[in-house]
Amino acid sequence: MTIHSNPEERLKRYAELAIKVGVNVQPGQPLWISAPLGTETFVRIVVKEAYLAGAKNVHVQWYDEEILRTHYELAPEETFYEYPSWLAAAHEWVVDHKGAFLQIEANDPDLLKGIDSDRILNFEKASGDALDRFYEAIEKDQISWSIVAIPSQKWADKVFPELPEKERIPSLWNRIFTSVRLDQEDPVMAWKTHIETLTNKASDLNSLKLKSLHYESEGTDLTVELHEDHLWLTGASITPQGTHFIANMPTEEVYTVPIKSGVNGTVKSTKPLAYNGNVIDDFTLTFVDGEIIKVTAREGEEILKKLILTDEGAAYLGEVALVPHRSPISDSGVLFFNTLFDENASNHLAIGSSYPTCMKDGNILSDEEREEMGLNESVVHEDFMIGSAQMNIDGVCRDGKRVPIFRNGNWAF
């Protein structure tokens, strides 16, 4: 069966993939789904697949982008400094009951364009503080979680403005289906093979025991230090209960955590960053001893600077991820204006919080031990793309040996 099969069957297969491979719902497990209006048809199929997989209870939290825009335009200022305690408690309920969390995206990349950036960033911090326990469970893989996406008209309009309007959503659907391997005869087996490939690459990197990475390309000359106990991981994870899940669908990356104070040099973005309904583009960050000390951007500079000031950790890196330039999403030539896809077409970094799972025994480290080992803490975790066909990356081993990791944007070993 291919992406040209009948639409109902394609949606069913996608929903099944999200439930059985993405969050991997287990019998008796509750599931929380977050989804925007406009995705009702797909969400109903996902809910059905979840119950067929044995879910105990499925809760759908809907949100309306137009109402969200109105909220940011008209709500009183103090609203953006608080987060509903009952909603924070609901998120913690998922953690306490070892539930699963599925986020379905169909976002307009320009939803909050023109909105006061202080409102966006203040609420980002308020929600991050309120949901600290939930996000910690996500970062430590204590619950299974996943993100998938389906087209909306405004998103498709942004991605394919050159196409006739009636062709835009079908074109975006086809790109999504290809990126999540639903064009394969057996998507579940295709994912198994793909994850094995990524796992082998992560294993190869772990065997090198790298001390640092050195990135070089046009506008980028950056050195990133790695702790001796760092681990390279893939998008495939496992909960303490033994449930395997894939956090992002698609995923093409292997990633690890940098030492907070060990980043020096300059890095230039190579794709726009769609952040909370705003597009940040053509930006350069300069690091000294881990801290971002200079920011320039052709578009969205104000919101990028304020994002970096969200809290102390937002000015430092929490993740380094490797993605070859020759990968399915990159080869498509499509700019998605959605980090879920664009980060899987490019090497990327993330400012803000780190994943403790990327450190040996990271899940059992105390806050003090994590800080001592150089793990960054923040309410922010925002990926941005830096890869290109011109990027070269060298790894420096503990014995001083230099190993080519990337040449001309692709794996060199």
Side-chain angles (χ1 to χ4, degrees):
M1 190 172 295
T2 70
I3 58 175
H4 303 292
S5 304
N6 75 76
E8 290 183 6
E9 183 62 26
R10 287 188 299 177
L11 287 181
K12 182 181 183 302
R13 284 158 60 86
Y14 192 21
E16 186 178 16
L17 195 67
I19 291 299
K20 294 185 177 179
V21 178
V23 287
N24 191 11
V25 169
Q26 299 297 296
Q29 185 180 34
L31 171 65
W32 181 319
I33 299 173
S34 173
L37 296 184
T39 63
E40 292 91 336
T41 297
F42 179 63
V43 171
R44 289 172 187 137
I45 299 171
V46 170
V47 170
K48 183 176 181 179
E49 290 297 325
Y51 280 122
L52 289 174
K56 180 180 181 180
N57 180 47
V58 182
H59 171 76
V60 180
Q61 181 188 14
W62 299 103
Y63 62 94
D64 184 308
E65 287 196 326
E66 290 191 24
I67 290 176
L68 183 61
R69 170 88 192 189
T70 301
H71 174 74
Y72 275 100
E73 288 177 334
L74 302 178
E77 197 65 34
E78 62 267 23
T79 303
F80 302 99
Y81 291 90
E82 58 190 34
Y83 188 87
S85 58
W86 62 267
L87 190 51
H91 283 80
E92 292 184 5
W93 185 94
V94 177
V95 177
D96 292 337
H97 290 78
K98 299 179 176 57
F101 180 78
L102 178 64
Q103 181 174 321
I104 297 173
E105 294 188 349
N107 301 339
D108 172 10
D110 293 320
L111 176 66
L112 300 183
K113 187 174 183 178
I115 294 293
D116 182 354
S117 58
D118 285 336
R119 291 187 160 219
I120 297 171
L121 273 300
N122 288 335
F123 188 67
E124 178 90 358
K125 187 175 188 307
S127 60
D129 288 339
L131 298 176
D132 178 66
R133 185 161 167 253
F134 176 76
Y135 287 140
E136 183 176 21
I138 293 287
E139 291 172 356
K140 290 184 175 182
D141 294 337
Q142 292 175 346
I143 62 173
S144 59
W145 60 281
S146 191
I147 307 173
V148 298
I150 73 170
S152 66
Q153 188 64 58
K154 289 184 178 179
W155 181 22
D157 291 345
K158 183 76 172 181
V159 176
F160 295 112
E162 75 285 357
L163 294 180
E165 184 174 346
K166 67 179 181 179
E167 295 180 15
R168 294 172 186 171
I169 284 183
S171 294
L172 187 51
W173 262 127
N174 283 341
R175 295 299 186 184
I176 292 173
F177 282 141
T178 299
S179 72
V180 298
R181 292 173 167 76
L182 277 171
D183 58 337
Q184 305 294 312
E185 188 65 30
D186 186 342
V188 173
M189 183 55 66
W191 270 97
K192 181 179 179 180
T193 301
H194 175 54
I195 293 300
E196 286 177 354
T197 299
L198 293 178
T199 300
N200 289 337
K201 188 60 69 175
S203 179
D204 291 342
L205 286 166
N206 284 326
S207 69
L208 292 174
K209 301 186 183 304
L210 296 174
K211 182 180 181 181
S212 65
L213 295 169
H214 182 217
Y215 294 74
E216 281 188 307
S217 63
E218 183 179 353
T220 293
D221 185 353
L222 188 74
T223 298
V224 178
E225 294 182 33
L226 306 174
H227 193 275
E228 62 182 353
D229 287 336
H230 79 276
L231 297 173
W232 289 93
L233 301 178
T234 73
S237 302
I238 184 170
T239 68
Q241 293 75 41
T243 300
H244 292 264
F245 67 95
I246 297 176
N248 295 338
M249 298 185 78
T251 183
E252 301 288 340
E253 67 180 331
V254 292
Y255 65 95
T256 192
V257 60
I259 294 176
K260 177 180 178 179
S261 61
V263 183
N264 287 279
T266 300
V267 64
K268 182 177 176 59
S269 69
T270 53
K271 293 179 183 291
L273 168 60
Y275 170 72
N276 276 357
N278 289 270
V279 174
I280 305 169
D281 196 12
D282 192 16
F283 58 92
T284 297
L285 305 178
T286 300
F287 294 81
V288 173
D289 295 334
E291 184 179 9
I292 299 170
I293 63 162
K294 184 178 179 181
V295 177
T296 62
R298 179 177 58 81
E299 180 180 359
E301 182 173 307
E302 178 190 9
I303 195 166
L304 178 57
K305 286 181 175 179
K306 289 182 177 179
L307 171 63
I308 290 166
L309 293 174
T310 302
D311 58 20
E312 189 267 344
Y316 295 81
L317 291 186
E319 177 188 349
V320 294
L322 302 179
V323 179
H325 182 69
R326 293 304 309 274
S327 59
I329 299 173
S330 179
D331 287 346
S332 74
V334 174
L335 180 61
F336 285 86
F337 294 95
N338 182 301
T339 301
L340 176 62
F341 294 87
D342 290 333
E343 74 168 6
N344 286 298
S346 170
N347 286 315
H348 55 277
L349 305 171
I351 60 171
S353 64
S354 58
Y355 291 108
T357 49
C358 289
M359 197 74 77
K360 182 181 178 182
D361 296 326
N363 279 345
I364 61 174
L365 294 174
S366 66
D367 290 344
E368 293 76 15
E369 289 171 326
R370 289 163 65 174
E371 182 177 359
E372 184 179 332
M373 296 177 80
L375 288 167
N376 193 29
E377 291 286 340
S378 175
V379 299
V380 170
H381 181 93
E382 199 64 41
D383 298 280
F384 62 96
M385 287 59 75
I386 64 169
S388 70
Q390 290 73 46
M391 174 160 280
N392 294 326
I393 305 174
D394 281 343
V396 180
C397 301
R398 299 285 157 184
D399 61 6
K401 178 183 176 182
R402 294 182 73 91
V403 179
I405 305 298
F406 268 56
R407 286 294 180 267
N408 299 319
N410 294 299
W411 292 110
F413 77 104

